[in-house]
C-alpha cells in the first residue's frame, strides 16, 4: 500500500505544529532542510514521540565517513526514511546504509530506509525520454549499492520498478491534483492516482495540501485518489 507524506516545509516549530494539527493521523511527515536547519533534531524527536512517522529529507552528499555519521545520527532520532544523493557513488551509499543500521541499533529502533535522489523533480535532463533513461540508470546504480530505493517523479516510477524490481522503493515528489494548474517550481508532476498506478510507494505533497482552504480535506482527497480509506 502506498503512503502519503505531507511536506512540512515551514520556517519554525510553531508553524510546523500548526501544519501538523491540520492533518489526518494516517499520513507521514517530511522534514527537510529549512525546518531542520531552524529547529534541529528536537522537533523531529517531538513529532516522532507523538507517533508521526518521519521522512527526514536532508539529501546527504559528502565523503562516505561524513555521510555514515550523519545517517547514524538521523537513525537515532527514530526517522523512517532518509535521503542521500545517488551521485555520491556506491561507497557513499554503502556508508549511509551502515550508518543508518548503526544508529538504529544504538537507539534500539528499526533502521530507516535509505533512498537515493536520482534527479530533482524541479529539473529535467533533456526530453522526458532522456530524463527517464538517466533516472533509471541512477536507480540501477542505487540498487547495486544496496540502498532501499530512490526518489524520482511519478513519470519514471514504472520504468524504475521495471528495471529494479517491485520491491525497490520509489518515493515520488511533485504530486499535484488534476486541474490544479500551478506546478510551482516542479517540472515533472503527476496526480496521486497516476503515481500509485505507476508503482509509487511514497507520495510527497506539500503546497497542494497546505495551500488548500482545508488541508485535512485535501489530504483526505489525496488518500481517496490513492484508494486508501481512512478516518481523519
Amino acid at each position: 500500500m502506498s503512503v502519503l507524506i505531507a511536506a512540512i516545509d515551514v520556517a519554525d516549530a510553531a508553524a510546523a505544529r500548526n501544519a501538523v494539527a491540520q492533518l489526518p493521523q494516517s499520513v507521514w511527515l517530511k522534514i527537510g532542510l529549512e525546518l531542520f536547519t531552524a529547529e534541529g533534531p528536537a522537533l523531529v524527536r517531538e513529532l516522532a514521540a507523538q507517533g508521526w512517522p518521519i521522512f527526514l529529507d536532508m539529501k546527504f552528499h559528502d565523503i562516505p565517513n561524513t555521510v555514515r555519521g550523519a545517517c547514524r545520527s538521523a537513525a537515532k532520532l527514530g526517522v523512517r526514511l532518509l535521503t542521500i544523493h545517488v551521485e555520491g557513488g556506491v561507497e557513499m551509499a554503502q556508508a549511509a546504509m551502515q550508518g543508518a543500521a548503526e544508529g538504529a541499533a544504538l537507539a534500539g529502533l528499526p533502521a530507516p530506509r535509505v533512498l537515493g535522489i536520482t534527479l530533482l523533480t524541479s529539473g529535467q535532463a533533456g526530453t522526458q525520454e532522456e530524463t527517464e533513461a538517466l533516472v533509471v540508470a541512477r536507480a540501477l546504480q542505487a540498487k547495486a549499492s544496496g540502498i532501499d530505493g530512490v526518489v524520482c517523479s511519478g513519470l519514471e516510477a514504472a520504468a524504475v520498478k521495471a528495471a529494479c524490481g517491485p520491491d525497490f522503493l520509489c518515493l515520488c515528489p511533485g504530486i499535484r491534483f488534476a486541474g490544479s494548474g500551478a506546478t510551482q517550481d516542479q517540472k515533472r508532476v503527476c496526480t496521486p492516482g497516476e503515481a500509485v498506478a505507476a508503482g509509487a510507494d511514497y507520495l510527497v505533497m506539500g503546497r497542494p495540501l497546505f495551500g488548500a482552504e482545508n488541508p485535512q480535506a485535501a489530504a483526505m482527497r489525496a488518500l481517496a485518489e490513492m484508494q486508501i480509506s481512512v478516518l481523519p
Side-chain angles (χ1 to χ4, degrees):
M1 180 184 293
S2 300
V3 172
L4 177 64
I5 302 177
I8 312 299
D9 293 328
V10 294
D12 55 44
R17 294 184 188 106
N18 179 65
V20 169
Q22 301 178 71
L23 295 170
Q25 281 281 344
S26 50
V27 306
W28 292 25
L29 308 179
K30 182 194 85 121
I31 294 178
L33 292 168
E34 180 180 12
L35 183 56
F36 192 83
T37 301
E39 299 293 347
L43 183 64
V44 178
R45 292 193 185 97
E46 175 187 325
L47 294 172
Q50 294 171 7
W52 292 100
I54 305 294
F55 162 37
L56 186 63
D57 186 24
M58 299 299 287
K59 302 179 178 70
F60 296 129
H61 188 177
D62 212 311
I63 64 172
N65 192 57
T66 297
V67 170
R68 177 182 173 182
C71 291
R72 184 191 304 117
S73 295
K76 289 192 287 186
L77 299 176
V79 303
R80 302 286 190 91
L81 301 170
L82 56 85
T83 48
I84 65 173
H85 270 282
V86 173
E87 286 184 293
V90 170
E91 186 180 353
M92 190 198 81
Q94 291 173 341
M97 290 291 288
Q98 186 175 6
E102 290 168 349
L106 288 169
L109 296 167
R113 301 291 186 91
V114 178
L115 305 178
I117 306 293
T118 54
L119 180 68
L120 297 177
T121 49
S122 59
Q124 287 184 297
T127 66
Q128 179 54 33
E129 290 76 13
E130 291 167 332
T131 298
E132 182 178 289
L134 175 63
V135 168
V136 169
R138 288 181 176 171
L140 287 167
Q141 176 187 330
K143 184 178 182 182
S145 73
I147 65 174
D148 299 294
V150 292
V151 179
C152 63
S153 86
L155 301 179
E156 298 100 37
V160 169
K161 291 283 186 175
C164 299
D167 295 331
F168 191 69
L169 300 173
C170 287
L171 182 148
C172 298
I175 306 299
R176 298 288 186 268
F177 292 118
S180 61
T183 60
Q184 285 87 34
D185 53 358
Q186 303 282 7
K187 289 189 172 65
R188 301 180 351 263
V189 303
C190 64
T191 68
E194 289 168 343
V196 170
D201 300 285
Y202 304 98
L203 284 66
V204 179
M205 299 183 78
R207 285 166 289 194
L209 302 184
F210 297 110
E213 183 176 344
N214 185 332
Q216 183 173 89
M220 296 299 286
R221 174 185 172 185
L223 290 165
E225 291 187 19
M226 295 165 65
Q227 299 186 357
I228 298 173
S229 299
V230 295
L231 295 174

